[in-house]
Amino acid sequence: EIVLTQSPGTLSLSPGERATLSCRASQSVSSSYLAWYQQKPGQAPRLLIYDASSRATGIPGRFSGSGSGTDFTLTISRLEPEDFAVYFCQHYGGSPYSFGQGTKLEI
Amino acid sequence: EVQLVESGGGLVQPGRSLRLSCAASGFTFDDYAVHWVRQAPGKGLEWVSGISLNSGSTGYADSVKGRFTISRDNAKNSLYLQMNSLRAEDTALYYCAKATSLLSVFDLWGRGTLVTVSS
């Protein structure tokens, strides 16, 4: 089973700043199977990035994903007020599908 | 509107059973694999189970294997999760999510149904 470890646990930034979130896998992951989701309180997760670097439909260009092997990054270039939420990475290359523990992005 | 709506959650005693449902609309249900993912209060996401578009393949997390059974009825555009021998640690918000295949990203999630296991 692939274990995903996200860092930091909490990231405190201000609107307009750049956010960099990390996801590290316990073993090499095909980039084709790495996703990022955003979750706001009381809401279901929303897909942001798939295949490590492809933006999902309707996701603003300030969100970008990168990485390969065991190290992946989600970058939000200029934070908007609505971006403050919890972010999860996920490996979806087959059962069991693993999630990172999440990074809380707070103002 | 493309959506998934979960139902069937509630308060149940340890050792008892519960069946969750997920109703799909706005898309061709039998073109997609579907999954159950849960989130314990204040915790992260845990994949529970997934099923291929024609029910030919299923998978389970070790934590629920042998107790939970996933199924789908494409004629009714519905996904199910039969949960037996429930434990306190099964308490969570249960989401259904769809994917193009069992090797695809979860591109749409429902809003979840809450299962509480307590005496």
Side-chain angles (χ1 to χ4, degrees), chain A residues 37-76:
Chain A
Y37 299 87
Q38 176 193 68
Q39 187 178 34
K40 296 180 180 179
Q43 296 185 18
R46 177 175 73 144
L47 175 65
L48 298 176
I49 302 289
Y50 64 96
D51 295 355
S53 61
S54 298
R55 269 190 304 277
T57 302
I59 301 303
R62 63 182 182 274
F63 291 90
S64 64
S66 63
S68 64
T70 60
D71 291 298
F72 297 87
T73 301
L74 174 69
T75 301
I76 311 172

Side-chain angles (χ1 to χ4, degrees), chain A residues 1 32-33 35 37 39 42-47 49-51 88 90 92-101, chain B residues 35 37 39 43-47 50 59-62 93 95 101-112:
Chain A
E1 177 181 349
S32 298
Y33 301 125
Y37 299 87
Q39 187 178 34
Q43 296 185 18
R46 177 175 73 144
L47 175 65
I49 302 289
Y50 64 96
D51 295 355
F88 295 96
Q90 182 207 22
Y92 53 93
S95 176
Y97 304 80
S98 50
F99 291 90
Q101 82 279 19
Chain B
H35 298 268
V37 179
Q39 187 170 35
K43 301 298 184 182
L45 301 168
E46 179 188 17
W47 174 78
Y60 298 91
D62 285 345
L93 186 61
Y95 297 102
S101 75
L102 287 180
L103 290 178
S104 297
V105 70
F106 300 6
D107 59 15
L108 179 72
W109 300 56
R111 301 193 68 170

Side-chain angles (χ1 to χ4, degrees), chain B residues 41-62:
Chain B
K43 301 298 184 182
L45 301 168
E46 179 188 17
W47 174 78
V48 173
S49 182
I51 187 168
S52 63
L53 54 90
N54 61 1
S55 302
S57 295
T58 59
Y60 298 91
D62 285 345

